Amino acid sequence: MPDRPSPDEVRAYYATQPAPLVAATGIIVDTHGRVLVLTTSYKADLELPGGTVEDTETPEAGLARELEEELGLTVPVGRLLAVDSRPPGPLGRSLVVHVHLVGPLPPAEAAALSFPDGEITEARWLGPDEACAALPARIAPRLRAGLAALHTGSVAHLVEGVPQPGSPAGLDPADRAALEHAGTLDAAGHRASRPKALTAASVLFTDADGRILLVRPAYGDTRRWQLPGGGIDSDLGETPRAAARREVHEEIALDVAPGRLLAVDWSHKPGRLARVRFVYDGGVLDARALARIRLNPGEHLEWRTASPVELRDLLKPSLRRRVKACLTARATGTGPLELHAGRPAQAD
């Protein structure tokens, strides 16, 4: 095991580096959502993978080099999750840390880590909460904020590990609300820190026998079927109705103007983006229309029609509830419905 460098040697090394020091950290996750933490030969505390960016490297290139040197891992460095900055400390340099996502690593890669340069002595996969508890106080906040940014599709702005007012991710919801109510956020910070939602649009088609048209995705959980539809390109000015028509045409090659709005379904899980889904009536497809269906192989593996009683084995529960509520709204001429995770919203 290599000897740990003395404090004087560490200080002398960092004194030769330009200010501020730039480092790159990887939040490496596996397919189970676990996080990789490391034991090193030169520090008592656990670490996340990564290190100092050298010479003319970018943070992404520096992290890629560190992963190969430390773990024998040659994988793409993913998107930026957080930036943390610290004022000069004992080493005499301010520090800027870029935190990037790496993975999810498939099981074979997760099990094949090696320690080529001897700096790493052990690598462990821990659950997110366990990893945050095990890491030292200077590092755990980066992981916590980085994971928040991962789950909300955003970026966290930290100073000494503390999410800043207006940070798009990592700011505790109660703290965000308190800042808003106190009027301390400027307009840009207010927009950045407000909770976001994903919006999508679907179309409910049936055949002459009342069977529902479903498609099986080529991505994500390929065991679960879906209604035709997808995300709304609101940044391009697209409306929910236009998105429903576009997605149907792209996914099953039918150019059908959606009918009336049957429901708006809102769902949310703590720590995740809220999701808002508009569901339109596509009407009844006859045999000739069904025969014209052509799938985009990059998006879907197959299509089928299913009776309402078959939905239990095909759809996740929230979508099954949404479909059944929309079938009722269509049959009774009621709606649009306000749904929460497929259930009728309760009036106050």
Side-chain angles (χ1 to χ4, degrees):
M1 179 183 299
D3 292 335
R4 291 185 179 179
S6 70
D8 287 342
E9 289 172 328
V10 172
R11 192 174 296 108
Y13 168 76
Y14 282 108
T16 66
Q17 306 301 304
L21 290 170
V22 177
T25 292
I27 296 179
I28 303 181
V29 297
D30 67 5
T31 54
H32 301 291
R34 297 179 300 177
V35 177
L36 186 69
V37 299
L38 306 176
T39 301
T40 72
S41 61
Y42 54 89
K43 288 183 179 179
D45 293 326
L46 294 176
E47 288 276 349
L48 290 173
T52 306
V53 176
E54 297 180 353
D55 300 323
T56 58
E57 289 179 328
T58 63
E60 293 84 354
L63 179 56
R65 173 184 50 77
E66 288 281 349
L67 295 180
E68 186 171 4
E69 292 175 357
E70 291 183 346
L71 301 170
L73 192 59
T74 305
V75 293
V77 172
R79 72 179 186 86
L80 181 67
L81 297 177
V83 177
D84 190 13
S85 61
R86 290 183 175 272
L91 302 179
R93 291 287 189 271
S94 60
L95 175 67
V96 177
V97 183
H98 288 231
V99 182
H100 287 266
L101 173 66
V102 179
L105 297 189
E109 285 194 41
L113 299 176
S114 61
F115 314 133
D117 64 4
E119 290 190 355
I120 307 304
T121 59
E122 184 185 14
R124 286 186 282 166
W125 293 97
L126 302 179
D129 290 340
E130 187 180 6
C132 287
L135 288 166
R138 65 185 174 82
I139 296 178
R142 295 176 195 155
L143 173 60
R144 192 175 295 109
L147 291 173
L150 170 62
H151 296 320
T152 57
S154 193
V155 177
H157 170 206
L158 313 176
V159 174
E160 297 189 85
V162 178
Q164 296 302 288
S167 175
L171 193 61
D172 182 88
D175 293 340
R176 186 268 309 161
L179 288 169
E180 285 188 0
H181 295 157
T184 57
L185 290 176
D186 60 16
H190 179 267
R191 287 193 299 271
S193 62
R194 284 296 301 167
K196 312 299 190 294
L198 294 174
T199 56
S202 299
V203 181
L204 176 68
F205 294 103
T206 56
D207 64 13
D209 297 320
R211 297 169 62 86
I212 300 99
L213 175 64
L214 303 174
V215 289
R216 187 162 71 90
Y219 50 85
D221 186 353
T222 59
R223 299 168 301 173
R224 296 293 193 180
W225 294 71
Q226 302 172 346
L227 293 177
I232 300 168
D233 291 337
S234 55
D235 55 343
L236 298 177
E238 188 174 55
T239 65
R241 182 174 293 275
R245 184 168 189 168
R246 173 184 55 78
E247 286 284 346
V248 166
H249 187 251
E250 291 176 355
E251 292 183 351
I252 61 176
L254 297 183
D255 187 12
V256 180
R260 71 185 184 91
L261 180 65
L262 296 174
V264 177
D265 194 4
W266 184 94
S267 61
H268 175 255
K269 294 180 180 179
R272 301 295 198 271
L273 291 177
R275 294 173 179 266
V276 182
R277 174 79 61 165
F278 296 78
V279 186
Y280 294 92
D281 186 3
V284 177
L285 299 178
D286 59 22
R288 287 195 301 176
L290 292 171
R292 292 199 306 271
I293 292 177
R294 297 292 184 272
L295 297 180
N296 179 341
E299 293 199 15
H300 292 97
L301 301 174
E302 58 182 317
W303 68 273
R304 62 167 292 174
T305 58
S307 67
V309 297
E310 294 175 296
L311 298 181
R312 176 173 293 277
D313 296 326
L314 300 173
L315 307 182
K316 64 180 182 180
S318 60
L319 177 54
R320 185 171 69 246
R321 294 191 296 266
R322 182 189 305 154
V323 169
K324 290 187 174 181
C326 289
L327 287 172
T328 299
R330 180 209 256 188
T332 59
T334 55
L337 302 176
E338 180 188 355
L339 305 177
H340 291 176
R343 297 183 177 92
Q346 301 297 316
D348 292 337

